[in-house]
Amino acid sequence: MKDREPVATWLTDMDGVLIHEGSMIPGADEFIRKLRDRGVPFLVLTNNSIYTPRDLRARLLATGIDLPEESIWTSALATAQFLDSQRPGGSAYVVGEAGLTTALHEAGYTLSESDPDYVVLGETRTYSFEAITRAIRLIDGGARFIATNPDATGPSLEGALPACGSVAALITRATGVEPYFVGKPNPVMMREGLNKIKAHSESTAMIGDRMDTDVKCGIEAGLETILVMTGITQQSDIERFPYRPSRVVKSIADLIPEVC
């Protein structure tokens, strides 16, 4: 691998890197605190579109991680920004929670069930058969299909939950229309994040726990990629992929000495 510039900016995933099953991963609070104390630009990215940055800040604070709202970048925010760049002041029928509807409202979008420009699918813990049916009919009627992320399942204390990617597959099967996924591993989300903190890909590292989203997205955006072993991907899984992270560490705690 070619020599890169020293890391001056950090991007990191949330679940599996900072927290796991509702608890802080040891060292995550110190890593974030050191970034803030040193004034190092950073952003926490998550494909979770359920919560607003304010909600996520409160959830992280409860685990002991003090993270400002402005340092959180969700797939809902990335989706709203993407739609605003494509069709400003448009309309959307949304299947999702407050994180997504709030982001779209703040981007100037109108939420509508009548002839919307887009059907936007996010995540919710209570997917409604009625809402999915409505989405299918609107797409059949000509609405463009957008989804916040391709994750097939999400974590919970009880086990895996169906997530945006699984429901998107259901809608695609019914309509024959593939969605455009905005969240990771689409590098659009990563590039929007880099622009948000005025960072350059050559001097930015992406920390993640998943080869199929975090590492893939980082590679495609031209970042250094660091895989941690505290989440989904385990050491034995790495060789199954046709690409590799720049390096592998046990946890985010191993990266604390590199923050300068």
Side-chain angles (χ1 to χ4, degrees):
M1 184 172 294
K2 70 175 185 177
D3 292 336
R4 298 181 58 93
E5 295 181 18
V7 177
T9 311
W10 296 84
L11 302 180
T12 177
D13 186 32
M14 183 179 297
D15 291 302
V17 179
L18 302 180
I19 57 173
H20 182 66
E21 295 183 349
S23 298
M24 180 184 69
I25 291 172
D29 55 342
E30 186 178 349
F31 182 80
I32 296 297
R33 183 168 57 249
K34 194 170 181 183
L35 289 173
R36 297 184 65 186
D37 289 347
R38 302 288 175 87
V40 177
F42 75 97
L43 201 60
V44 174
L45 293 84
T46 175
N47 266 355
N48 189 322
S49 66
I50 294 177
Y51 303 106
T52 66
R54 181 177 299 179
D55 297 331
L56 290 172
R57 167 172 163 71
R59 291 167 67 87
L60 288 169
L61 196 57
T63 72
I65 301 172
D66 188 4
L67 187 67
E69 287 180 43
E70 59 270 20
S71 295
I72 300 173
W73 188 242
T74 71
S75 64
L77 293 173
T79 297
Q81 183 167 308
F82 173 76
L83 291 183
D84 181 53
S85 72
Q86 294 289 303
R87 192 176 292 268
S91 60
Y93 175 71
V94 176
V95 180
E97 298 283 354
L100 182 54
T101 56
T102 300
L104 287 168
H105 271 138
E106 291 179 350
Y109 258 63
T110 300
L111 305 189
S112 174
E113 296 186 7
S114 177
D115 194 29
D117 297 313
Y118 297 96
V119 165
V120 182
L121 176 67
E123 282 156 333
T124 171
R125 296 298 172 91
T126 55
Y127 281 110
S128 157
F129 183 78
E130 181 181 355
I132 293 170
T133 300
R134 182 65 178 163
I136 289 169
R137 291 172 179 169
L138 289 170
I139 292 168
D140 279 340
R144 302 155 188 86
F145 188 16
I146 296 286
T148 58
N149 69 83
D151 296 1
T153 61
S156 79
L157 295 176
E158 293 78 27
L161 295 171
C164 185
S166 295
V167 179
L170 183 159
I171 294 173
T172 294
R173 182 68 181 229
T175 62
V177 178
E178 295 277 350
Y180 182 74
F181 292 106
V182 177
K184 298 178 294 181
N186 190 337
V188 164
M189 182 173 177
M190 198 75 77
R191 292 190 185 111
E192 287 179 351
L194 290 171
N195 291 336
K196 178 178 169 65
I197 57 175
K198 297 179 174 59
H200 194 284
S201 60
E202 283 296 317
S203 57
T204 302
M206 173 65 196
I207 311 166
D209 71 307
R210 296 184 63 135
M211 288 288 290
D212 57 344
T213 55
D214 304 317
V215 171
K216 183 179 180 182
C217 192
I219 289 172
E220 293 184 356
L223 314 183
E224 178 178 352
T225 53
I226 304 172
L227 182 69
V228 295
M229 295 287 97
T230 49
I232 297 294
T233 302
Q234 298 303 303
Q235 189 77 44
S236 58
D237 299 327
I238 298 173
E239 293 300 328
R240 297 170 52 201
F241 291 86
Y243 49 85
R244 296 181 61 82
S246 306
R247 51 192 166 120
V248 179
V249 298
K250 289 182 180 179
S251 79
I252 197 168
D254 296 319
L255 301 173
I256 294 171
E258 297 187 30
V259 178
C260 58

